[in-house]
Amino acid sequence: MKKPEDLGQKYLEKLAGLLQKIGETQMPAIEQAACAVANAIASGNIVHVFGVGHSHILAEEAFFRAGGLAPVNAILEPSLMLHEGALKSTQLENITGLAEVLLDYYEVQADDVLIVASNSGVNAVPVEMATLAKKRGVFTVAITSLSYSRMVKGQRKALFEVVDLVIDNLGEPGDAALDLPGVAQRVGPTSTVAGAAIINAIMIKATHLLQELGIEPPIYVSSHMPGAAEHNMRLMQRYRGRIKLL
């Protein structure tokens, strides 16, 4: 009798191949994003990260992270997150006008960097967020699936068309990578894993660039490590004026 296919293993192999391909094709864009991040931090500016729905996870991944850069502001709007109501958040992410309110509230300023994560890249709030931030003199970066965006975009511009820099997460349209026998719908989303890897690659490369500039990288330490409380508190006090959630 034929042994059933291990779809869990197949999914992990799919992710491994995807990450390798991202490394092979997206590294120039990742390096450019890292350079923008390092220059902003060196100049005393802030890196903002924003996403709606599941993409908000990437903003949290970069924020107040052990081993991560401190001057990172997560733009987290509860009404656009799933725990406040999945249907409501799905509807609100297509409401125009909300992005400008968030940009004002989080005090996004010229010469900052804004990273916007949106897998489909067509929802109104992420596109408007990037468009308005760019008008303010902010360097804008998209983490998105180009194949998905090109398939579903309508008359309005998609995220990849309005930002300064695009990083393709190489996700398939619909964000599901595997066919399951006997099931009509595909399974196995990849955008969160790919996006987290991309955003950490950006921050790690930016950290190295800060070193090369002769600047001590402002990096948080895990709260369980010796001396972490004092070290992290110094960083929090340094950036609290620009980062709302500290």
Side-chain angles (χ1 to χ4, degrees):
M1 188 167 116
K2 184 178 179 182
K3 184 179 178 181
E5 185 176 17
D6 188 339
L7 291 175
Q9 180 66 32
K10 187 176 180 180
Y11 174 67
L12 294 178
E13 291 170 357
K14 183 84 172 182
L15 287 175
L18 180 67
L19 293 177
Q20 181 175 349
K21 191 174 180 182
I22 288 171
E24 293 169 351
T25 64
Q26 301 304 304
M27 198 51 65
I30 289 171
E31 289 174 350
Q32 189 176 343
C35 185
V37 167
N39 288 337
I41 293 172
S43 301
N45 295 96
I46 296 295
V47 181
H48 308 273
V49 188
F50 174 72
V52 299
H54 283 95
S55 293
H56 92 269
I57 295 170
L58 302 187
E60 292 199 60
E61 173 66 19
F63 173 65
F64 200 61
R65 194 70 165 88
L69 288 164
V72 174
N73 174 51
I75 299 178
L76 299 175
E77 169 51 44
S79 65
L80 297 172
M81 297 159 69
L82 299 173
H83 71 279
E84 290 284 328
L87 179 58
K88 181 181 73 171
S89 69
T90 300
Q91 293 171 331
L92 287 176
E93 66 191 21
N94 280 301
I95 299 295
T96 60
L98 182 54
E100 188 162 20
V101 175
L102 294 175
L103 287 169
D104 288 341
Y105 179 76
Y106 283 95
E107 300 177 7
V108 179
Q109 302 175 7
D111 300 321
D112 287 346
V113 172
L114 171 66
I115 300 173
V116 179
S118 175
N119 192 47
S120 70
V122 296
N123 292 318
V125 177
V127 175
E128 194 173 60
M129 177 79 72
T131 302
L132 295 174
K134 190 173 178 179
K135 288 181 179 179
R136 294 184 181 206
V138 176
F139 186 83
T140 54
V141 181
I143 300 176
T144 190
S145 166
L146 286 178
S147 63
Y148 194 6
S149 288
R150 287 169 176 151
M151 174 181 285
V152 298
K153 74 180 289 304
Q155 295 300 313
R156 292 187 311 186
K157 286 188 175 181
L159 182 63
F160 74 88
E161 296 175 297
V162 303
V163 294
D164 294 298
L165 178 67
V166 177
I167 303 175
D168 190 356
N169 67 21
L170 302 182
E172 299 182 26
D175 196 21
L178 295 178
D179 292 305
L180 190 63
V183 177
Q185 295 78 24
R186 303 190 90 201
V187 297
T190 62
S191 61
T192 302
V193 174
I198 288 168
I199 207 158
N200 281 309
I202 292 169
M203 299 304 174
I204 291 165
K205 292 187 75 67
T207 300
H208 186 223
L209 290 172
L210 287 169
Q211 280 187 302
E212 292 184 335
L213 291 171
I215 298 170
E216 181 180 354
I219 299 171
Y220 283 122
V221 177
S222 172
S223 59
H224 302 291
M225 299 298 289
E230 296 80 5
H231 172 85
N232 291 343
M233 183 56 69
R234 285 194 295 271
L235 290 177
M236 291 173 68
Q237 290 171 344
R238 179 176 171 184
Y239 294 109
R240 184 169 278 155
R242 290 290 323 271
I243 299 177
K244 290 280 188 181
L245 298 181
L246 288 179

